[in-house]
Amino acid sequence: MSSVQAVDDHSSEAKEVRRLSRVVIRFAGDSGDGMQLTGDRFTAGTASFGNDLSTLPDFPAEIRAPAGTLPGVSSFQLHFADHDILTPGDAPDVLVAMNPAALKANIGDLPRGAEIVLDADEFTGRALRKVGYEASPLEDGSLDGYRVHPVPLTTLTVEALAGFDLPRKEAERCRNMFALGLLSWMYNRPAEGLEKFLTVKFARKPLVAAANTAAFRAGWNFGETTEDFAVSYEVAPASKAFPTGTYRNISGNLALSYGLVAASRQADLPLYLGSYPITPASDILHELSKHKNFGVRTFQAEDEIAGIGAALGAAFGGSLAVTTTSGPGVALKSETIGLAVSLELPLLVIDIQRGGPSTGLPTKTEQADLLQAMYGRNGEAPVPIVAPRTPADCFDAALEAARIALTYRTPVLLLSDGYLANGSEPWRIPETDELPDLRVQFAQGPNHTLEDGTEVFWPYKRDPQTLARPWAVPGTPGLEHRIGGIEKQDGSGNISYDPANHDFMVRTRQAKIDGIDVPDLEVDDPTAGTDTAATTLVLGWGSTYGPITAAVRRLRTAGEHIAQAHLRHLNPFPRNLGDVLGSYDRVVIPEMNLGQLATLVRAAYVIDARSHTQVNGMPFKAEQLARALSEAIHAQ
């Protein structure tokens, strides 16, 4: 293959090449071993080759956990295939373990027969004792049943870089590139883009770039020439899985960032982000700060409250305003979200959910902020809620959240999570004519006539269709009006303590949210209308889409009849949701919380929705869900 020839002229004809339909690979090591970079580069090569893919980065909360310890293990899992896939895989087919801690932390996830590539140089007595191994797993038989490849990665890397003027420690740090080269050879991944990437990444350190490139080539050549690896593998591109178009690999946070920029352009409004760094939302701030050429302004505030305060001020000034955070930050922003509800100004509040409560699990995923998004403010302060379902879908979810905010003059909460934020998949880049028109009309002058014939501007005179109030840009002559959190009089916007007026304004704000135009819920039910129609519906939201869909596919392949539906709009619900739920005898709702959507559904529709929950900081596994759903189908 051309990818082999690009690295070396040695022939690999003597080695067997096996074709596979799918592979799951996990790279694991210390947080300083470059596992995220290694996985990212393997993913980039896989994406350029045309496979469908899904990734799951997993890293410790500590910036630099103690080396060689279980809490310090960082991993990156990649599932790639010649067909449409939906999850990063339940279990790795291949584990690359850079030290004993990485092996011990991940061995429990491996099925028997899986391949293990490990750095034999790191399996010293001291390193083994640090993680509780009484004897070396390379010698005590505990790895029997796996295909183990003990490779002296560190030694081979140092030898390959002997001609470089690098200290030994610096040379050893390139062993992740040696491992990447070896795995790239094993799975015939394109190598052409890596050297360009390293040249750009280490532009100010050309020696480091050259050393990493040499280590990668050495790893490739080792795989090609050593007798320990007698087989390489090939996974064909997934050309039939994708509609025609231009694709790129994209993570959820990057897709959200691009979606916000696209929304700004489609609305013809400047984009303003007021934010405070917090895991796992910080990448959006980092990315948007690069796009000043698109009229994007980013403000890294001193705290969460200042971040949303600045964003709300930008909304008052006529910008498409955004603030990004995670659950702890939403708690701090809640008063200002309520102020935005009262002022009735468009504001996007993006919550990249993580494990809680409090600081909780900063680098792990969870869906436990739904009730906080629904009710986590004082008073009656309704807010629309939108949730993307895949990393690529974050782009469209950002556009949808912007549509609702701009059309109805309201803050909107967008609930992503750590799994979507850091995971990646192929994304078809849309054409500009496929994007929605989000342009708005600012108030231009008086909109109300008093009894004496005087024309005045009433800031709370509403559009009869949307109930949205006018958006008046400060400084526009004749549009002066009072703002603040104290209740306003209907129409005029004067301060009002009248009980009847307050009752009317509260009910009107709720009616505005209830009346938001959202698409009907689509149901995937191949048996609908047949004699063997499904009686069980699995309902999901957010990032459970991939595992749920994969589980449903497995059940249907096994002959089970089951329907599936997935919610993007969580407030308001689609208008046909009640009818959909009433069409099935059983409704199962898998969530990465203790049943928050199930609670809302039971309250709204008085049905016996069954929860299947998980709060271990990791996404559902498809096989686990398939078993739970099978039990639900056959429950009496």
Side-chain angles (χ1 to χ4, degrees):
M1 296 179 65
S2 60
S3 59
V4 175
Q5 294 169 356
V7 175
D8 203 284
D9 292 331
H10 293 300
S11 172
S12 59
E13 293 180 358
K15 294 197 174 186
E16 179 186 356
V17 178
R18 295 179 185 170
R19 293 188 179 274
L20 302 173
S21 63
R22 53 172 292 278
V23 177
V24 179
I25 298 175
R26 184 182 296 175
F27 298 92
D30 271 339
S31 57
D33 283 338
M35 293 297 93
Q36 302 304 320
L37 175 63
T38 304
D40 177 74
R41 288 301 89 201
F42 195 95
T43 300
T46 297
S48 67
F49 191 70
N51 296 117
D52 195 12
L53 62 89
S54 180
T55 68
L56 178 62
D58 186 22
F59 36 85
E62 291 81 2
I63 294 175
R64 191 69 171 92
T69 63
L70 294 175
V73 173
S74 174
S75 68
F76 189 105
Q77 183 164 305
L78 166 69
H79 183 192
F80 61 102
D82 63 4
H83 57 277
D84 176 34
I85 58 173
L86 297 155
T87 74
D90 285 1
D93 302 302
V94 182
L95 172 66
V96 179
M98 304 299 278
N99 60 21
L103 177 65
K104 188 165 189 177
N106 292 281
I107 190 66
D109 293 337
L110 268 64
R112 291 290 174 172
E115 288 197 81
I116 302 175
V117 179
L118 50 82
D119 187 353
D121 290 329
E122 292 294 310
F123 281 69
T124 63
R126 184 170 180 268
L128 292 167
R129 289 190 297 272
K130 186 180 289 188
V131 293
Y133 277 122
E134 295 181 0
S136 173
L138 300 178
E139 301 170 356
D140 65 5
S142 61
L143 297 181
D144 292 349
Y146 301 100
R147 291 177 288 166
V148 183
H149 306 277
V151 179
L153 293 175
T154 302
T155 298
L156 292 173
T157 302
V158 172
E159 290 177 354
L161 302 183
F164 289 81
D165 186 20
L166 285 174
R168 180 180 176 88
K169 281 289 185 183
E170 288 295 315
E172 290 178 355
R173 294 183 64 184
C174 297
R175 67 190 178 120
N176 65 321
M177 288 295 106
F178 188 101
L180 178 59
L182 173 57
L183 268 292
S184 297
W185 171 83
M186 284 180 65
Y187 290 95
N188 283 290
R189 298 295 88 189
E192 291 85 351
L194 181 72
E195 184 170 351
K196 180 180 179 181
F197 168 81
L198 291 173
T199 300
V200 173
K201 180 176 178 61
F202 299 108
R204 297 183 180 180
K205 298 180 179 180
L207 180 61
V208 174
N212 277 279
T213 301
F216 175 85
R217 290 175 176 269
W220 187 298
N221 293 337
F222 176 78
E224 194 170 53
T225 57
T226 184
E227 295 181 359
D228 191 37
F229 294 89
V231 178
S232 65
Y233 305 92
E234 189 174 276
V235 180
S239 55
K240 294 181 180 179
F242 302 125
T244 302
T246 302
Y247 286 80
R248 60 155 295 165
N249 187 52
I250 199 164
S251 68
N253 274 353
L254 185 57
L256 259 176
S257 301
Y258 288 173
L260 293 171
V261 174
S264 167
R265 304 299 286 182
Q266 292 302 107
D268 195 23
L269 296 174
L271 178 65
Y272 184 93
L273 173 67
S275 184
Y276 180 75
I278 184 172
T279 302
S282 300
D283 289 341
I284 302 172
L285 171 61
H286 299 160
E287 181 61 34
L288 288 179
S289 68
K290 303 174 184 177
H291 297 290
K292 295 180 178 64
N293 57 314
F294 286 114
V296 178
R297 289 187 178 183
T298 54
F299 168 53
Q300 180 174 321
E302 64 268 31
D303 55 38
E304 296 280 5
I305 298 172
I308 190 173
L312 184 56
F316 178 59
S319 293
L320 177 59
V322 185
T323 189
T324 52
T325 189
S326 191
V330 174
L332 292 167
K333 296 177 188 291
S334 61
E335 182 180 5
T336 308
I337 297 173
L339 177 58
V341 171
S342 176
L343 297 180
E344 301 190 48
L345 287 172
L347 175 67
L348 302 186
V349 181
I350 296 176
D351 176 6
I352 313 298
Q353 300 166 95
R354 69 189 204 186
S358 187
T359 306
L361 303 175
T363 60
K364 308 300 181 182
T365 196
E366 205 164 86
Q367 288 183 297
D369 294 351
L370 176 54
L371 294 183
Q372 180 186 31
M374 281 288 293
Y375 303 121
R377 294 164 295 282
N378 64 293
E380 295 288 346
V383 172
I385 303 171
V386 174
R389 63 185 188 179
T390 69
D393 187 49
C394 289
F395 178 87
D396 295 314
L399 286 164
E400 175 65 357
R403 177 191 73 85
I404 294 172
L406 294 171
T407 303
Y408 295 91
R409 310 286 197 269
T410 178
V412 177
L413 264 156
L414 189 152
L415 295 182
S416 179
D417 60 45
Y419 172 35
L420 295 183
N422 297 313
S424 61
E425 66 176 350
W427 172 58
R428 187 182 71 83
I429 302 172
E431 300 294 334
T432 54
D433 59 7
E434 298 175 317
L435 302 179
D437 184 351
L438 301 178
R439 287 174 294 182
V440 297
Q441 182 66 50
F442 291 117
Q444 299 298 319
N447 61 1
H448 183 73
T449 303
L450 299 177
E451 293 181 358
D452 62 2
T454 304
E455 292 187 341
V456 297
F457 173 67
W458 274 15
Y460 283 85
K461 185 170 184 176
R462 302 178 183 279
D463 181 290
Q465 297 297 320
T466 64
L467 298 181
R469 81 174 185 93
W471 194 358
V473 176
T476 305
L479 303 190
E480 299 85 357
H481 62 282
R482 181 180 287 107
I483 65 168
I486 297 177
E487 185 64 277
K488 308 298 185 298
Q489 185 180 49
D490 175 45
S492 72
N494 294 328
I495 289 176
S496 173
Y497 297 101
D498 178 63
N501 177 79
H502 178 61
D503 182 274
F504 178 83
M505 293 293 277
V506 167
R507 294 181 187 278
T508 301
R509 287 189 289 262
Q510 183 65 59
K512 180 174 69 169
I513 304 308
D514 292 341
I516 290 173
D517 181 26
V518 302
D520 278 351
L521 180 66
E522 296 182 1
V523 181
D524 175 14
D525 186 357
T527 65
T530 70
D531 294 336
T532 57
T535 58
T536 300
L537 171 74
V538 55
L539 180 68
W541 71 278
S543 66
T544 57
Y545 173 78
I548 288 174
T549 306
V552 167
R553 286 181 180 179
R554 294 187 186 198
L555 290 173
R556 289 176 179 170
T557 300
E560 300 282 13
H561 297 161
I562 187 169
Q564 175 188 357
H566 209 78
L567 289 166
R568 163 174 280 180
H569 297 89
L570 296 155
N571 191 33
F573 285 136
R575 286 172 175 76
N576 69 330
L577 178 57
D579 292 337
V580 168
L581 297 174
S583 301
Y584 295 90
D585 294 340
R586 288 175 293 273
V587 176
V588 183
I589 304 180
E591 299 180 78
M592 293 187 293
N593 56 48
L594 296 183
Q596 296 188 15
L597 175 61
T599 297
L600 295 174
V601 166
R602 292 183 193 120
Y605 303 103
V606 197
I607 66 164
D608 184 23
R610 307 184 185 187
S611 286
H612 180 72
T613 63
Q614 173 177 296
V615 283
N616 62 5
M618 299 297 289
F620 282 111
K621 293 183 178 180
E623 183 59 33
Q624 166 200 0
L625 269 183
R627 289 195 302 269
L629 296 176
S630 179
E631 292 172 1
I633 291 172
H634 297 288
Q636 297 299 320

